Amino acid sequence: MHLENSVKLDFKDVLIRPKRSTLTSRSEVDITREFKFLHSPVKYYGIPIIAANMDTTGTFEMASALATHQMSTALHKHYEHDEYVDFFSRLEKKSSAFYSLGIGNQDWEKFQQTITKAPEAIQYVCIDVANGYTEAFVAFVKKVRESYPNLVIMAGNVVTGDMTEELLLAGADIVKVGIGPGSVCTTRKMTGVGYPQLSAIIECADAAHGLGGRICADGGCTVPGDIAKAFGGGADFVMLGGMLAGHNESAGEIVETEQGTFKRFYGMSSRNAMNKYSGGVAKYRAAEGKAVLIPARGPIDQTVQDILGGVRSACTYVGARRLKELTMRTTFVRVSMQLNEVFGKAP
Ligand code: 5GP
């Protein structure tokens, strides 16, 4: 047994310290980013916030709506092959939507069929498993890179610098970071495994940037300030599930109660998802996700405006004229236990 004693932090454990600034308005802040990648020749331009590849948030409707705000969507992997082909071939220009897949044979075959039909439109893929530490996962990332040298490959999830480096060297351009922080994730409760998300971001970003790679902070953002903290900690991209759930563009059963209208949002490893896609929870495993009801929130546009406004404002507070400068200008201050408790209860 080994005990690591250094302090590891979550979003709620810190605040961003304001800094002297020459900016007079948040409208002066540019939150788009341009990225080159370690392997792929594709150049990214946009606001690097991505809807999670959950079947409630990674929908075609979400992808179309977020694209109008220059944001991306990781499509969920449960659409039929024809539906992906239809979606990608309807796009007028190249899309920054991610095609998602796991590492099973079925996913691989479906992906190959789809990309053959829409080779120009699909530029981004998200290879997603709950535990990115297996040899089989690394080998799969290598296989996809060798087969498709031009694709932008995002792969995860991991939470440590060593594995971030390994995935980048295996062919990933973007490493997805986060084990356990998700709003409908129960991995930490069910297994005791996890890593405080802000520290995971800081450590994985440091490892990735040393090699010319990128990271996507995935999970745990509950308010726009958390997204600002993720970027401040070094994330190149931030992925959101719960913050984008419950909207018209999100999928999920509508539930009417005396308290109002709700939409069901559930983890992709929850009993709900496994009943829907895998014929129930297999005997050898337990669900590692839960279902919650989210008040129906209408169109996504207002939420997007709040998110982007929050990130722009964070940049103004530290004098970052561009999102790119936010990490450099971020000093986190640890909050006291008392404030931490109060802050943790904020909506
Ligand atoms: P959120 O933004 O809701 O906090 O987190 C979204 C992320 O939670 C997803 O992108 C994914 O990485 C993770 N996630 C989604 N469903 C599950 C699940 O059922 N179990 C676990 N462990 N993580 C999940």
Side-chain angles (χ1 to χ4, degrees), residues 155-170:
N157 282 21
V158 299
V159 285
T160 50
D162 55 343
M163 211 56 202
T164 299
E165 286 171 358
E166 179 150 357
L167 288 173
L168 290 169
L169 295 174

Side-chain angles (χ1 to χ4, degrees), residues 176-216:
K176 201 146 73 76
V177 174
I179 293 186
S183 56
V184 282
C185 162
T186 57
T187 294
R188 290 177 183 175
K189 282 191 180 137
M190 292 303 291
T191 68
V193 175
Y195 210 92
Q197 182 67 351
L198 181 63
S199 287
I201 294 168
I202 294 170
E203 292 167 28
C204 294
D206 188 43
H209 296 162
L211 287 178
R214 307 279 170 199
I215 68 152
C216 174

Side-chain angles (χ1 to χ4, degrees), residues 160-317:
T160 50
D162 55 343
M163 211 56 202
T164 299
E165 286 171 358
E166 179 150 357
L167 288 173
L168 290 169
L169 295 174
D173 294 297
I174 309 166
V175 174
K176 201 146 73 76
V177 174
I179 293 186
S183 56
V184 282
C185 162
T186 57
T187 294
R188 290 177 183 175
K189 282 191 180 137
M190 292 303 291
T191 68
V193 175
Y195 210 92
Q197 182 67 351
L198 181 63
S199 287
I201 294 168
I202 294 170
E203 292 167 28
C204 294
D206 188 43
H209 296 162
L211 287 178
R214 307 279 170 199
I215 68 152
C216 174
D218 175 22
C221 291
T222 57
V223 286
D226 292 342
I227 303 172
K229 290 174 189 175
F231 284 130
D236 303 289
F237 295 86
V238 175
M239 181 171 270
L240 303 176
M243 285 184 74
L244 302 181
H247 295 89
N248 296 354
E249 295 80 356
S250 330
E253 179 198 352
I254 294 173
V255 181
E256 301 285 354
T257 73
E258 279 176 9
Q259 284 76 42
T261 307
F262 293 80
K263 254 186 167 175
R264 204 179 299 284
F265 173 56
Y266 49 85
M268 294 312 292
S269 301
S270 65
R271 184 170 291 280
N272 302 55
M274 286 196 260
N275 285 343
K276 195 165 170 190
Y277 299 113
S278 320
V281 183
K283 282 226 161 54
Y284 59 89
R285 64 180 293 180
E288 283 181 32
K290 62 181 180 183
V292 294
L293 290 180
I294 304 229
R297 292 195 251 179
I300 195 83
D301 292 346
Q302 185 56 51
T303 299
V304 167
Q305 191 178 327
D306 288 346
I307 289 173
L308 303 188
V311 174
R312 259 190 219 107
S313 187
C315 289
T316 322
Y317 272 110

Side-chain angles (χ1 to χ4, degrees), residues 12 22 120 125 165 172 219 268 301:
K12 66 177 181 359
T22 53
E120 292 289 310
V125 295
E165 286 171 358
M268 294 312 292
D301 292 346

